């Protein structure tokens, strides 16, 4: 659907809207999610769908989804074989969504569905991607806020494409953007970076992120740390390159020091060997060496994962899809 057609569509209808929700252990939140999202979607277009990705929930989430999907044909369920993580669940959702406009949103209602009409409005005005940006993060803990700020600063410096601060996965994607995402073959799905890399015509709206309605956040400090590492290593090679310059600097310093030692030995004769300085320099630079190796290992590990070319997720069953969607094997390229 091109921008002209989008704008031609009147207040209600004329296009298909897909809402995509990755869901992991949300039995406490899921019903209020549908209750709040459905009327809003309905007010925009009668032709909407809610694609729920059950990311291997271990509580009653799937049972609830099954009953809800049985009563409402617009609620569809993709049940993954295990927990693949939010990023992969979201990828699955984008694969199965069929709308002209697709909006990923969290099932815990932290992405307020009341913003959807505004997102659609900006999309209709001709934008291909409409980002919902957090105005403040008061709903997050202090530590998480500090960490987020640091992360955005680091990745802003390192990455080749600027990643907008505080924009999560909550955004509207035009069909063309979704198709573009499907072309990206990588296994490490750092969605924020992928979205930023795509380009397209973008607009933003701002909002204040509320607390989750029920249940607990699935992110632990360690997961966040790994997520940040993944973000940095999948979108920048600067951590690798830095070692060339670091090594060069150290070698230059060492060379200068060598000259000094030779000169001193020639002029003043041999002095007592300095064991403490020797051992501390040795230990320090072994440490530096290991950090360098570790960073190389980070990248090598990711290369390893990429070359295995495993699918990003596996589907156990789908519920509510009219035509059984062809299993997306699109990432098997034969080149
Ligand atoms: N989620 C998921 N798989 C996971 C972790 C989370 O599908 O492994 C879903 C979760 O059900 C929710 C959304 O991703 O709908 C955001 O998760 P959460 O609220 O825990 O993250 P936070 O809002 O704290 O960043
Ligand atoms: Mg949340």
């Amino acid at each position: 659907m091109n921008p002209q057609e989008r704008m031609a569509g009147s207040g209600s209808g004329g296009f298909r809207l897909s809402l995509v929700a990755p869901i992991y252990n949300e039995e406490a939140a899921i019903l209020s999610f549908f209750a709040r999202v459905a009327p809003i979607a309905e007010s925009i277009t009668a032709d909407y769908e809610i694609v729920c990705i059950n990311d291997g929930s271990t509580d009653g989430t799937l049972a609830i989804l099954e009953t809800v999907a049985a009563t409402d044909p617009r609620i569809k369920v993709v049940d993954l074989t295990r927990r693949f993580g939010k990023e992969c669940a979201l990828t699955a959702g984008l694969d199965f969504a069929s709308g002209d406009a697709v909006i990923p949103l969290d099932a815990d209602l932290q992405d307020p569905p009341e913003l959807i009409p505004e997102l659609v409005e900006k999309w209709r005005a001709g934008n291909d991607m409409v980002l919902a940006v957090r105005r403040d993060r008061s709903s997050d803990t202090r530590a998480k806020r500090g960490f987020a700020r640091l992360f955005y600063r680091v990745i802003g410096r390192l990455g080749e494409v600027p990643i907008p601060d505080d924009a999560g996965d909550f955004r509207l994607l035009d069909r063309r953007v979704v198709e573009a995402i499907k072309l990206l073959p990588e296994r490490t799905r750092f969605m924020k970076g992928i979205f930023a890399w795509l380009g397209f015509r973008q607009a933003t709206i701002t909002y204040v992120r509320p607390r989750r309605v029920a249940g607990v956040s699935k992110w632990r400090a360690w997961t966040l740390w790994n997520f940040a590492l993944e973000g940095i290593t999948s979108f920048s090679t600067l951590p690798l390159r830095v070692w060339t310059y670091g090594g060069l600097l150290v070698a230059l310093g060492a060379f200068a020091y060598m000259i000094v030692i030779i000169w001193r030995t020639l002029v003043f004769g041999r002095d007592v060997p300095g064991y403490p300085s020797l051992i501390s320099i040795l230990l320090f630079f072994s440490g530096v060496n290991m950090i360098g190796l570790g960073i190389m290992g980070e990248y090598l590990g990711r290369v390893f994962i990429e070359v295995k070319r495993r699918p990003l997720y596996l589907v156990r069953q789908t519920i509510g899809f009219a035509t059984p969607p062809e299993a997306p094997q699109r990432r098997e390229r034969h080149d």
Side-chain angles (χ1 to χ4, degrees):
M1 188 179 263
N2 64 37
Q4 284 73 35
E5 284 166 351
R6 272 184 241 162
M7 280 177 273
S10 60
S12 68
F15 70 97
R16 188 174 172 78
L17 178 68
S18 295
L19 305 176
V20 173
I23 300 170
Y24 170 70
N25 286 0
E26 301 280 5
E27 61 180 357
I30 193 77
L31 283 177
S32 33
F33 171 73
F34 289 127
R36 224 166 99 189
V37 166
I40 293 170
E42 182 78 64
S43 73
I44 298 171
T45 170
D47 187 15
Y48 75 88
E49 61 172 2
I50 304 178
V51 180
C52 304
I53 317 301
N54 177 35
D55 189 21
S57 300
T58 51
D59 63 357
T61 301
L62 181 62
I64 299 175
L65 286 177
E66 278 169 344
T67 39
V68 178
T71 53
D72 189 343
R74 287 175 296 198
I75 295 175
K76 298 164 184 179
V77 181
V78 179
D79 183 25
L80 303 185
T81 55
R82 63 169 173 87
R83 183 179 180 184
F84 283 88
K86 187 187 170 185
E87 311 277 309
C88 289
L90 194 56
T91 307
L94 295 182
D95 287 343
F96 282 91
S98 58
D100 300 308
V102 180
I103 303 179
L105 73 177
D106 288 359
D108 58 4
L109 288 168
Q110 279 197 296
D111 302 329
E114 287 72 24
L115 294 173
I116 294 175
E118 211 179 324
L119 291 173
V120 170
E121 212 46 58
K122 291 239 166 162
W123 171 68
R124 280 225 167 110
N127 296 294
D128 301 309
M129 204 193 296
V130 188
L131 287 71
V133 176
R134 292 171 217 185
R135 203 175 310 142
D136 75 278
R137 290 181 157 258
S138 49
S139 62
D140 283 342
T141 60
R142 263 274 273 301
K144 195 171 169 186
R145 251 182 291 166
F147 190 79
R149 185 153 357 109
L150 184 70
F151 171 73
Y152 282 113
R153 192 169 304 164
V154 169
I155 203 143
R157 288 271 165 80
L158 294 185
E160 279 115 65
V161 282
I163 292 179
D165 286 16
D166 294 334
D169 295 327
F170 184 34
R171 57 185 74 206
L172 183 147
L173 308 168
D174 183 64
R175 171 103 322 247
R176 282 182 298 174
V177 177
V178 175
E179 293 306 320
I181 292 173
K182 291 186 188 174
L183 293 177
L184 299 191
E186 61 241 67
R187 261 70 188 150
T188 39
R189 305 301 279 186
F190 179 63
M191 281 311 215
K192 279 182 214 292
I194 288 178
F195 286 140
W197 183 87
L198 291 172
F200 283 101
R201 202 194 293 181
Q202 305 188 3
T204 53
I205 62 172
T206 58
Y207 72 107
V208 178
R209 194 163 171 83
R211 287 174 196 282
R212 55 161 49 239
V213 282
V216 288
S217 173
K218 310 313 182 291
W219 295 97
R220 300 265 170 279
W222 186 246
T223 346
L224 268 180
W225 167 247
N226 282 328
F227 183 68
L229 266 190
E230 189 147 310
I232 290 167
T233 50
S234 56
F235 272 83
S236 168
T237 51
L238 196 72
L240 280 176
R241 245 179 301 150
V242 140
W243 292 96
T244 317
Y245 301 105
L248 212 66
L249 223 71
V250 169
L252 277 178
F255 186 73
Y257 191 50
M258 187 181 83
I259 307 260
V260 170
I261 290 178
I262 291 175
W263 174 78
R264 242 186 4 208
T265 315
L266 289 180
V267 175
F268 300 107
R270 227 188 276 183
D271 55 357
V272 186
Y275 177 75
S277 58
L278 197 68
I279 200 76
S280 48
I281 289 176
L282 193 77
L283 287 180
F284 175 71
F285 284 106
S286 326
V288 172
N289 263 333
M290 275 192 230
I291 297 175
L293 271 180
I295 289 189
M296 254 198 247
E298 280 292 328
Y299 282 90
L300 186 65
R302 273 166 234 288
V303 171
F304 177 62
I305 290 169
E306 295 292 338
V307 295
K308 280 199 286 190
R309 302 198 141 260
R310 292 211 177 138
L312 285 166
Y313 58 86
L314 291 175
V315 177
R316 200 170 70 87
Q317 58 170 339
T318 59
I319 304 166
F321 290 92
T323 47
E326 77 281 14
Q329 293 298 326
R330 60 197 164 69
R331 290 195 177 79
E332 292 320 312
R333 295 189 313 187
H334 302 284
D335 48 10

